[in-house]
Amino acid sequence: MGLKEELEEKAEECDAPEEYIAVAKEIVEGLDDKEWAGELLEEGAEWAETWEDAVTYAKACLDILGDEEAAAAHLDAGKNLCTTVEDFLGLAAAALEMGQKEAATEIYNAAGTKCVKTSDFLELSKSISDVLNDAELAEKTVEKAFAKCSKTEDFVVFAKSVLDMFEDKDRAKSVYASAMEKASKAEDFDILAAGAVKDLGDKALARQIYEKALSSLESGNELLKFARTVNEKLDDKDFLESIYKKAESVYTEFSDYLKLGKEAFEVTGDAPFATGIFQTAAATNPACSQLVDLALAMDKDLNDKEAAVQVLKQAQSAVKSNADFIKTAKAIQEIVTDDKEWTDAITFQLEKREEFKDLYSDFINREQETKTCATKRALAHDIVEKTGDKYYGAKIYRQAQELTRNFNDFIKLGVCIHQDLGDTDWVKEIFTGLLEKCTTFSYYNELTDAIAATLKDDAWIKDIYKNIEKQSDGNSDRVKLATVAATRLNDKDWAKNLLASAEKDCHTPYDYTFVAGAYLRLLDDQDKAIALFEAAEAQCTDQTCYAGLFNLISGQTSDPSYLTRILLSARKKLTGFDDLLFLAETACIRLADTRLASDIYRQAEEKAGDNRQLSRLSTSLNQQLKDSARASGLLRKIA
């Protein structure tokens, strides 16, 4: 039997890789038939069961045939036999060992199809980088791993793997940045922050994560829970307080603020910060009992006596029952140690409430029922009058003040407080506030009357009117002020200065007569009055103007001598028949001066130029002077 026949028989009996390889080797060595040896190796490779078998055949192609192309083909076929990433990595390593870098690259690419976890991709990437030294492919593989991240936990695991495998903290932090963009729930941010601290040891990054989480939280209870989480992970008091501040901004109920303040102090130990929250709680207008509890907490827990005292004052104003008052009083006696006036007042009120139990029961009921400033004033007066308890009376008067809107009610309030409490500072405060409500002289006069009746502060009254003077720009205001100065303040000099200022602003007969009347009425200055009346008369040129002037002067003085002077002056200007008839009748009607009238009638008779004028003159003489004889004589002149 020849060698070929013997090898053919051996080839038919092969059923294992090493047998196929051994026969192929004999074929090449004995017959130098590489083609037949290659076909035999291909036949054996068809029965390969593992990637290791494929590697064995690939090495044989190189060693026996020197055929790199055939070796690459076997390595390519080996990809189909890989079931895990580890299999691909082993196959790729073998390819590289054989110098088949191109085949190794293809194997690494195919390995990605078997990656399930992010760590699979990262291990593959590291191998590509370390073994294949292909940075581009390694990066693409990392990107595939990153694309697999969907849940927050995936990003944390991925970042840790990046750090562990590549020792690249910056890249790990960039993973967290991407995760922060996708996170939406507080739990997501918490997972990220925990990973940043545990895996990266980066508390600054953890704070950034928590800060973004904070911006997404709107519920006060969520924020409180969030603060607890942050406190466990970070030693960052400032950030904690920012969380509590946001919770404070969204809470609205007293109980929530109280809970928040206590927890903030327990966690941060910052008493002033907690006090601020408690003060916000007090601003929700809680019940008296709640305020007392709050004050006790501020004093005992926070050791902030000053803030506690302020809350106690609020509690005292919120008292609505005897039980409330007693609880508040005891707290005041316990906490307040440096205000004897206050504690003595509390002791006094406790005694009064014990002495007049029934009365106080009625007072408390009325306090809840009264809703107007008038009824509050009446209650406060009854309290003081029947028990002498000015402290309780003052409380009700304060309630009355809050309800007061009307100017006259403020006046009444000030008078009542002065009468019952004798509190001049409070009365002055009320009256000072009324200055802004004074819009007319009548208001100012009403206010200053009240000041005079209660505070008897003439200097203040004068200052009030002095301020009015600065704002006055018309004669009416100046004359009114002059009236006050002369009649109420007995300040003639000021009145004179005011009238002098008014005089300078006179332009019309009305102006002159108005100011002249004030000189007469307030200063009895007849010379000044005459001068002003004459200045007014100087502007008159006709009967109508003089008629108006006579009316104005009559409105300012009942002394006929002033009208007589003006009428005599008018007689020099008005010389026509109609004018003289007007002046004669004025002398009769306004002055009852028949002698002067008769003389002017005579002058008018001289001016009468026709029968109609004679008739009018006759009628006027008969009506005004009752001189029928003279009237008849005029009628006889009529042709």
Side-chain angles (χ1 to χ4, degrees):
M1 180 183 297
L3 179 59
K4 185 175 181 180
E5 289 77 7
E6 180 180 344
L7 292 173
E8 285 176 348
E9 185 175 333
K10 285 184 178 182
E12 289 178 0
E13 295 176 353
C14 291
D15 61 4
E18 58 271 17
E19 294 175 353
Y20 280 103
I21 292 171
V23 173
K25 185 175 182 180
E26 288 185 38
I27 290 172
V28 172
E29 290 177 350
L31 302 178
D32 194 23
D33 191 343
K34 290 185 178 181
E35 182 178 353
W36 181 21
E39 291 174 354
L40 183 61
L41 290 176
E42 287 180 9
E43 180 184 338
E46 290 177 0
W47 296 97
E49 296 180 351
T50 66
W51 65 269
E52 289 93 342
D53 292 341
V55 169
T56 300
Y57 284 111
K59 286 182 176 179
C61 286
L62 288 176
D63 294 343
I64 299 172
L65 306 178
D67 190 340
E68 291 189 1
E69 185 176 345
H74 285 295
L75 291 172
D76 186 63
K79 293 188 295 183
N80 297 324
L81 299 174
C82 294
T83 58
T84 65
V85 176
E86 288 76 11
D87 291 346
F88 279 101
L89 295 180
L91 180 62
L96 287 173
E97 187 179 339
M98 288 182 274
Q100 296 290 315
K101 185 174 183 180
E102 185 176 343
T105 300
E106 292 299 322
I107 294 168
Y108 276 119
N109 278 325
T113 62
K114 296 298 181 180
C115 293
V116 177
K117 300 180 293 184
T118 55
S119 57
D120 294 337
F121 282 103
L122 292 175
E123 288 175 3
L124 177 61
S125 174
K126 183 169 175 51
S127 180
I128 292 171
S129 178
D130 294 347
V131 179
L132 188 60
N133 196 26
D134 189 332
E136 182 179 354
L137 181 58
E139 180 61 27
K140 287 181 179 179
T141 306
V142 171
E143 290 174 358
K144 289 180 181 179
F146 184 68
K148 286 284 185 180
C149 295
S150 58
K151 298 184 295 184
T152 305
E153 294 87 341
D154 297 337
F155 287 99
V156 173
V157 171
F158 180 72
K160 186 175 187 310
S161 298
V162 166
L163 188 63
D164 291 345
M165 293 183 187
F166 302 105
E167 297 182 355
D168 189 343
K169 187 172 182 179
D170 289 339
R171 181 153 199 166
K173 288 177 68 174
S174 71
V175 173
Y176 276 90
S178 298
M180 285 167 62
E181 293 297 322
K182 295 185 177 182
S184 59
K185 299 181 296 184
E187 293 80 358
D188 295 334
F189 289 108
D190 187 35
I191 291 170
L192 288 173
V197 173
K198 180 182 177 183
D199 298 336
L200 306 187
D202 194 333
K203 288 190 175 182
L205 175 59
R207 172 160 178 169
Q208 291 177 18
I209 295 168
Y210 279 134
E211 284 175 345
K212 182 159 188 189
L214 177 59
S215 66
S216 70
L217 298 175
E218 298 298 335
S219 160
N221 290 337
E222 280 184 336
L223 288 161
L224 208 54
K225 180 181 178 182
F226 180 63
R228 298 184 195 113
T229 300
V230 171
N231 187 47
E232 292 174 1
K233 303 291 193 311
L234 296 179
D235 180 20
D236 194 329
K237 178 184 170 183
D238 290 342
F239 183 50
L240 273 174
E241 290 188 351
S242 71
I243 300 172
Y244 291 129
K245 271 294 182 187
K246 184 170 183 180
E248 183 181 359
S249 71
V250 299
Y251 275 138
T252 58
E253 300 296 326
F254 174 86
S255 57
D256 290 328
Y257 288 123
L258 188 62
K259 173 178 64 178
L260 176 64
K262 287 182 177 180
E263 184 154 331
F265 178 67
E266 181 181 336
V267 172
T268 67
D270 190 332
F273 181 72
T275 293
I277 298 174
F278 282 155
Q279 288 171 335
T280 302
T284 62
N285 197 28
C288 172
S289 179
Q290 291 175 310
L291 286 166
V292 173
D293 290 341
L294 184 60
L296 290 170
M298 295 171 85
D299 179 56
K300 296 181 182 301
D301 299 339
L302 307 184
N303 195 30
D304 193 338
K305 187 180 296 293
E306 182 177 350
V309 165
Q310 295 306 312
V311 174
L312 282 177
K313 289 180 179 178
Q314 185 180 344
Q316 191 174 5
S317 297
V319 168
K320 288 186 172 23
S321 67
N322 267 328
D324 281 348
F325 183 83
I326 291 170
K327 182 174 182 178
T328 305
K330 288 182 177 179
I332 292 171
Q333 291 173 332
E334 179 180 343
I335 294 174
V336 180
T337 58
D338 56 356
D339 192 336
K340 189 174 185 301
E341 182 179 354
W342 189 11
T343 53
D344 285 349
I346 288 297
T347 302
F348 171 83
Q349 291 176 82
L350 282 171
E351 293 172 353
K352 287 291 182 181
R353 286 174 184 256
E354 180 64 29
E355 181 182 358
F356 300 102
K357 287 182 180 178
D358 293 339
L359 276 177
Y360 274 91
S361 179
D362 176 58
F363 291 153
I364 289 169
N365 288 333
R366 287 173 62 187
E367 181 182 351
Q368 308 312 311
E369 293 170 358
T370 52
K371 303 296 181 184
T372 67
C373 60
T375 54
K376 290 287 186 185
R377 289 198 306 268
L379 173 58
H381 177 70
D382 284 350
I383 290 170
V384 177
E385 184 179 51
K386 294 176 181 179
T387 69
D389 188 346
K390 292 186 177 182
Y391 303 105
Y392 189 20
K395 174 187 173 182
I396 305 303
Y397 273 126
R398 289 190 189 93
Q399 294 176 5
Q401 184 174 0
E402 291 175 1
L403 294 170
T404 302
R405 300 291 179 272
N406 182 274
F407 185 89
N408 289 331
D409 282 327
F410 275 111
I411 294 290
K412 292 174 184 177
L413 178 66
V415 171
C416 288
I417 290 173
H418 185 270
Q419 174 186 331
D420 290 338
L421 307 180
D423 191 333
T424 55
D425 289 339
W426 190 359
V427 174
K428 185 163 186 176
E429 176 190 318
I430 293 171
F431 289 162
T432 300
L434 279 182
L435 284 171
E436 296 179 358
K437 297 180 181 293
C438 291
T439 55
T440 66
F441 256 87
S442 61
Y443 280 120
Y444 280 111
N445 290 339
E446 187 176 350
L447 175 58
T448 54
D449 284 344
I451 294 172
T454 56
L455 305 178
K456 305 186 186 308
D457 192 338
D458 292 338
W460 187 25
I461 293 173
K462 188 169 185 177
D463 284 342
I464 290 173
Y465 285 114
K466 281 287 187 181
N467 285 327
I468 299 174
E469 180 184 3
K470 296 175 183 176
Q471 303 167 22
S472 300
D473 56 3
N475 281 348
S476 177
D477 287 346
R478 295 186 184 105
V479 169
K480 289 176 182 178
L481 278 172
T483 302
V484 171
T487 61
R488 297 187 59 188
L489 304 178
N490 196 30
D491 191 335
K492 301 290 185 178
D493 289 337
W494 185 24
K496 185 175 181 179
N497 290 334
L498 285 164
L499 293 179
S501 177
E503 181 182 348
K504 292 177 182 178
D505 202 25
C506 288
H507 302 290
T508 67
Y510 172 81
D511 293 337
Y512 286 112
T513 56
F514 180 58
V515 177
Y519 270 110
L520 282 175
R521 186 174 65 257
L522 302 177
L523 303 178
D524 194 27
D525 190 337
Q526 297 182 36
D527 291 339
K528 181 61 72 172
I530 290 171
L532 290 171
F533 285 146
E534 289 177 346
E537 189 270 335
Q539 294 186 351
C540 293
T541 58
D542 57 35
Q543 182 184 138
T544 302
C545 184
Y546 273 105
L549 179 59
F550 293 148
N551 285 330
L552 290 173
I553 294 174
S554 296
Q556 296 300 325
T557 177
S558 60
D559 187 340
S561 64
Y562 297 102
L563 273 178
T564 300
R565 294 175 69 94
I566 299 303
L567 192 145
L568 292 173
S569 180
R571 188 177 179 185
K572 297 175 182 178
K573 294 182 182 179
L574 304 179
T575 58
F577 173 81
D578 287 340
D579 292 333
L580 291 169
L581 187 62
F582 157 71
L583 292 175
E585 290 177 347
T586 299
C588 287
I589 296 169
R590 292 188 179 276
L591 302 178
D593 190 337
T594 57
R595 182 177 178 182
L596 176 59
S598 178
D599 190 44
I600 299 173
Y601 274 125
R602 179 192 53 74
Q603 188 178 356
E605 183 179 351
E606 294 174 357
K607 293 287 185 177
D610 55 37
N611 292 340
R612 189 180 67 83
Q613 290 179 340
L614 288 170
S615 177
R616 287 176 57 203
L617 183 58
S618 174
T619 300
S620 182
L621 277 167
N622 192 41
Q623 289 178 345
Q624 302 302 332
L625 294 183
K626 309 300 181 185
D627 190 344
S628 57
R630 189 174 176 184
S632 297
L634 289 171
L635 291 175
R636 286 194 293 270
K637 288 184 178 183
I638 297 174

